[in-house]
Amino acid sequence: MEEADRRQKHVKAIIFGAPGAGKGTYGSRLKEKLGVEVIATGDIFRELMKDNSELGKKVKGFVEKGLLVPDEVVVEILKQRLSDIPEGKGFILDGFPRTLEQAKTLEGITKIDVILLLDVPDQIIIERLSSRRICRNCGTVYNIRFLKPKVEGLCDKCGGPLYQRSDDNPEVITKRLQVYQEQTEPLLEYYKKKKLPIITATTKRIEQKPEPIVDELIEDLKKQKLA
Ligand code: ADP
Ligand code: ZN
């Protein structure tokens, strides 16, 4: 691609799917390959939870139960992060919007070009979430069964220690899936009605590697002249 051409592409996307569908995994790879920013609300909350601030404690109360953080808190944070993105640069929203209220608010803040929908069977989701590990230092996602780090317990990228998220335990996983089905999944219908383009990547096998899915998403974005 010509340099001038490349500069004109700055996709504004939402990466959408159930907990454990791979939003963070694909989002971080798309970030590198497309040169866009990623705003991941879950990552932002996990950072906040590390310190003992009032806000951190408040957020923790919701996240650790598998409940959604109240819209007004999320929206405020999202607005700030979006305003930090340089004019004209593309971005992917990971974990936002999660409620109809958030989707409506987003419309007043920025235009979205496309939804990247990760379609993953429930069985795979549950298996993945229970064996997921995260780098404490940089947030990179691993899976001790299907996406192992090179050295056990350590991040490939930064050498940081891997840990299991406090919300990746069976009870909270069940709650998060229920919250997703009740509050977040209906957003798909909402965006379909709005005629927003939706690019779907389907995962059929638990051992599926991320790269082919990422390449497929990029191919489809190119077909739609969004990458
Ligand atoms: P996953 O998609 O694997 O469930 P995330 O890292 O995206 O995980 O989110 C973790 C938790 O952070 C959610 O279960 C929820 O408590 C909170 N959270 C993240 N994004 C939002 C949002 N947009 N609205 C409300 N709560 C959110
Ligand atoms: Zn790391």
Side-chain angles (χ1 to χ4, degrees):
M1 206 194 309
E2 294 296 319
E3 195 50 41
D5 204 17
R6 197 192 305 274
R7 257 184 274 124
Q8 283 160 14
K9 313 285 188 221
H10 38 72
V11 67
K12 297 177 164 56
I14 295 170
I15 192 159
F16 196 91
K23 300 184 296 292
T25 305
Y26 301 135
S28 63
R29 285 166 170 76
L30 288 167
K31 172 182 169 157
E32 280 167 26
K33 294 196 175 187
L34 298 173
V36 296
E37 300 279 340
V38 174
I39 301 179
T41 46
D43 287 351
I44 295 170
F45 292 145
R46 278 183 289 281
E47 275 303 310
L48 280 173
M49 283 158 59
K50 282 183 192 169
D51 47 63
N52 243 345
S53 65
E54 278 312 306
L55 183 59
K57 280 188 265 181
K58 180 174 178 180
V59 162
K60 196 170 182 167
F62 294 97
V63 173
E64 294 203 323
K65 293 191 192 77
L67 301 174
L68 296 184
V69 174
D71 287 337
E72 61 274 16
V73 176
V74 191
V75 164
E76 199 43 51
I77 288 174
L78 185 94
K79 275 187 186 158
Q80 275 175 21
R81 296 297 169 115
L82 271 176
S83 69
D84 289 343
I85 295 181
E87 184 68 38
K89 188 158 188 194
F91 58 80
I92 298 175
L93 302 183
D94 162 1
F96 187 97
R98 257 176 155 96
T99 63
L100 191 57
E101 192 57 38
Q102 291 178 14
K104 288 185 175 159
T105 307
L106 182 62
E107 273 161 39
I109 308 175
T110 183
K111 181 179 146 294
I112 296 294
D113 302 313
V114 64
I115 309 267
L116 306 174
L117 171 64
L118 305 180
D119 178 23
V120 184
D122 282 354
Q123 199 44 49
I124 296 186
I125 296 243
I126 292 165
E127 271 200 70
R128 265 192 192 160
L129 287 174
S130 38
S131 45
R132 176 159 77 175
R133 296 292 184 276
I134 316 282
C135 172
R136 196 171 289 285
N137 190 35
C138 75
T140 298
V141 181
Y142 297 89
N143 186 296
I144 52 170
R145 298 180 58 198
F146 308 104
L147 193 61
K148 291 183 187 167
K150 294 195 180 86
V151 179
E152 195 186 318
L154 297 180
C155 177
D156 291 351
K157 285 194 189 152
C158 76
L162 305 187
Y163 79 108
Q164 183 164 31
R165 271 168 50 175
S166 57
D167 58 346
D168 279 347
N169 68 68
E171 296 91 277
V172 182
I173 290 173
T174 308
K175 185 72 200 166
R176 282 158 59 208
L177 290 174
Q178 185 197 341
V179 167
Y180 174 75
Q181 277 156 14
E182 288 173 3
Q183 303 196 53
T184 307
E185 213 171 25
L187 289 182
L188 269 185
E189 276 310 310
Y190 175 79
Y191 283 122
K192 277 184 195 159
K193 282 203 189 109
K194 297 231 162 219
K195 308 260 187 272
L196 203 69
I198 298 181
I199 294 175
T200 307
T202 305
T203 297
K204 297 204 177 77
R205 294 170 300 117
I206 180 95
E207 65 278 13
Q208 171 75 57
K209 293 259 178 285
E211 282 70 23
I213 300 260
V214 171
D215 292 343
E216 194 183 308
L217 288 170
I218 292 177
E219 271 315 298
D220 286 346
L221 282 169
K222 283 185 179 158
K223 276 186 208 150
Q224 304 212 23
K225 306 249 182 292
L226 291 170

